[in-house]
Amino acid sequence: MLSVTEARERILSHLKSVAAETAPLTVCANRTLAADITAPHDIPSFDNSAMDGFAIRAEDTTASHVTLSVVADIPAGSTPTVTLAPGEAARIMTGAQLPKGADAVIPVEDTDFNRREAGTAAPKTVSFARTLKAGENIRARGMDIHAGDIVMQKGRALKPQDLGLLATLGMANVEVYKKPRIALFSSGDELLDVSAPLEPGKIRDSNSYMLAGLIESAGAEAIRLGVARDERDEVTNLLDQAVKKNVDLILSSAGVSVGAFDFIKEVVETNGKMDFWRVNMRPGKPLAFGKYGGIPFIGLPGNPVSAFVGFEVFARPALERLGGKMDGSRQKVKVRCEKEIESDGRESYLRANIREENGVFLAKLTGHQGSGNLLSLVQADALLIIPAGVKCVPAGQEVNAYLL
Ligand code: AMP
Ligand code: MG
C-alpha cells in the first residue's frame, strides 16, 4: 500500500497551476501572486517626520538651553517651501515632508511647547535643552524599500498586511492566479439534506458543508453538485456535470471503500483511470486518486473525520498546487504527548487538545478516536502526526502536529 508521502507526490505530479489573471486589489485577500512584486519607487518616497515636533538643524542643538525661531508650520500632506537657516525651526507633524535645511526632528514633548490639541497655532519660538543627531526622528526616503526591490514573490498567498504594502506601492491591480474551481459531491443512499428531518437509518450530509469550507480556506472555489445515491448512473451523472463545468479538480466523499455499493472507482474507470484507492494511513485508508474525463479526481473517505484528514493531507496541497501557491500553508509544530499514545503502525492523524506550559505545547487526545466522531474533531486543537512504523509514543515524547 502507498505511503502518505508517495500518495501525495503522485497526486501533485499530475497537477499544475491554473491560469493567472489581473484582479483589483480589493478582491485579492487570500489570492496567490502570479508574479513577483517589484517596488516602482522608494518607500518612504520623501524624507518625513516620525514624530509630532519641530524640524531643526542638528548642528543648532546643544545640551544647554537653545531657542529657535519657528518659521513655518508643516502639516502632513503639505509641501514645505521654506529652507531652514541657522537658528530656525518649523513645526512639523508625523508623516509631513521635511523642509530643506532640516536634518532632525525634536519631539514636542522635549520642548517648551508640549501642546498638540487640534487647532493649536504654532508658537513664534521654541526652546529645548538637548542635542540631536542628524537623522534623529526622521524617516528617510528609501529607508524601508528601494525602487526596484522585489518585495513579494510569485506563489505567495496574500495576507491582509500584504494588501497594505501593495496599496502603499500603488498596485491597484495585481497579477494573481485564478481561483481553482473544485467540483464537490457527496455519495451515499443514507444522506439527507441538512434541512430534512431525520428518518430511520439516515444521516445528514455533513461532509459537503465541511469540505466546502475547507476548499474556500485553501483559496479555491467550491462548486457544489449535491449528493449521488449509490447507483452507477447517479455517480456518472455528477462526474459528467463536473466535466461539463470544466472544473480544475473533482472532490467527492464516500463510496471509494470496498463495500458492495461503492461504485465510484468503477465509474471513474469508465471514462478515465484510477491511479490508487488506498493509502497506508489512519484514519482515511480508502482514499482514491485518478482522472475522469481528463480532470483530476480525489475521492475522500466517507467518515467525516477521515474526510477531513484526507483533505488536509492530500486535497489541501493539491488545491494549493492548482492555485499556484509555492509555500504550503499547513505548518507542522512540535508538541509533547502528556500520556502514552498507542498507534497501529500506520501513519496516524490523531485529534488532540493542546495547552501551553512553560513554553511547551502539551498534547492530550480528545477522547475516542472513532472516525465518525465529528465532535471530537470540533473540540480538537490539533492533529498529532504519528509516523508509520510507530506503535507506541511514550509519555513526554515530542511528535509533529498540524494546529487546527
Ligand atoms: P462509505 O465510504 O460510503 O462506506 O461511508 C463511510 C461512512 O461515512 C458511513 O458511515 C457513511 O454513512 C458516512 N458518510 C458518508 N458520506 C457522508 C457524508 N456526506 N456526511 C456524513 N457522513 C457520511
Ligand atoms: Mg457509502
Side-chain angles (χ1 to χ4, degrees), residues 92-400:
I92 193 163
M93 299 298 136
T94 304
Q97 185 171 352
L98 206 68
K100 288 204 193 76
D103 60 5
V105 168
I106 179 143
V108 273
E109 53 269 37
D110 292 355
T111 72
D112 64 341
F113 188 77
N114 186 7
R115 296 186 50 196
R116 38 183 155 186
E117 311 85 72
T120 311
K124 293 259 179 320
T125 62
V126 62
S127 302
F128 54 91
R130 56 162 284 204
T131 56
L132 284 96
K133 289 196 231 50
E136 224 176 309
N137 299 319
I138 290 187
R139 304 190 284 215
R141 172 175 180 161
M143 181 175 148
D144 301 343
I145 297 171
H146 284 114
D149 285 353
I150 293 180
V151 295
M152 287 178 227
Q153 284 179 330
K154 176 177 170 169
R156 179 182 176 91
L158 291 170
K159 302 174 188 174
Q161 56 269 43
D162 301 346
L163 304 182
L165 184 57
L166 290 167
T168 303
L169 294 170
M171 309 269 168
N173 296 290
V174 186
E175 275 288 288
V176 287
Y177 289 100
K178 293 186 171 180
K179 278 189 170 193
R181 297 166 62 249
I182 313 301
L184 173 66
F185 70 90
S186 299
S187 72
D189 283 348
E190 72 278 34
L191 301 180
L192 295 172
D193 186 71
V194 63
S195 56
L198 278 179
E199 293 169 30
K202 310 267 187 193
I203 61 170
R204 297 195 181 95
D205 163 26
S206 56
N207 287 350
S208 72
Y209 294 89
M210 174 180 73
L211 291 168
L214 287 168
I215 289 169
E216 299 287 332
S217 77
E221 182 192 349
I223 296 170
R224 304 184 59 137
L225 301 181
V227 176
R229 282 185 294 146
D230 289 318
E231 285 164 27
R232 283 183 188 81
D233 287 355
E234 288 227 358
V235 174
T236 307
N237 174 29
L238 288 195
L239 287 169
D240 287 344
Q241 276 188 42
V243 173
K244 219 176 275 158
K245 289 180 193 287
N246 198 21
V247 297
D248 300 301
L249 184 133
I250 304 168
L251 188 67
S252 71
S253 67
V256 289
S257 196
V258 286
F261 300 92
D262 292 337
F263 292 120
I264 293 191
K265 289 180 292 187
E266 189 189 309
V267 173
V268 167
E269 293 268 350
T270 62
N271 184 21
K273 193 174 165 333
M274 287 309 309
D275 189 330
F276 61 83
W277 54 91
R278 280 183 310 170
V279 179
N280 195 18
M281 68 186 291
R282 180 180 72 126
K285 184 168 93 173
L287 192 130
F289 175 68
K291 279 193 181 164
Y292 184 86
I295 297 176
F297 163 80
I298 297 179
L300 297 171
N303 275 309
V305 178
S306 311
F308 182 90
V309 170
F311 185 93
E312 289 299 336
V313 174
F314 301 105
R316 184 180 293 280
L319 269 48
E320 290 181 346
R321 169 68 58 92
L322 287 172
K325 271 190 200 143
M326 294 299 178
D327 41 357
S329 61
R330 266 271 172 262
Q331 307 285 348
K332 288 176 189 163
V333 299
K334 289 260 185 244
V335 301
R336 186 174 294 168
C337 301
E338 275 196 68
K339 293 192 178 152
E340 178 182 293
I341 295 175
E342 286 181 8
S343 189
D344 69 353
R346 285 182 281 170
E347 181 162 327
S348 299
Y349 290 80
L350 306 180
R351 285 144 272 169
N353 286 124
I354 304 287
R355 66 189 175 91
E356 205 216 287
E357 210 177 84
N358 304 324
V360 179
F361 287 139
L362 295 175
K364 194 161 106 193
L365 297 187
T366 57
H368 94 84
Q369 297 282 317
S371 54
N373 182 3
L374 200 47
L375 179 62
S376 77
L377 178 60
V378 167
Q379 291 172 337
D381 309 306
L383 290 175
L384 308 188
I385 307 169
I386 313 298
V390 172
K391 296 216 162 162
C392 175
V393 181
Q397 188 161 312
E398 287 198 331
V399 295
N400 281 325

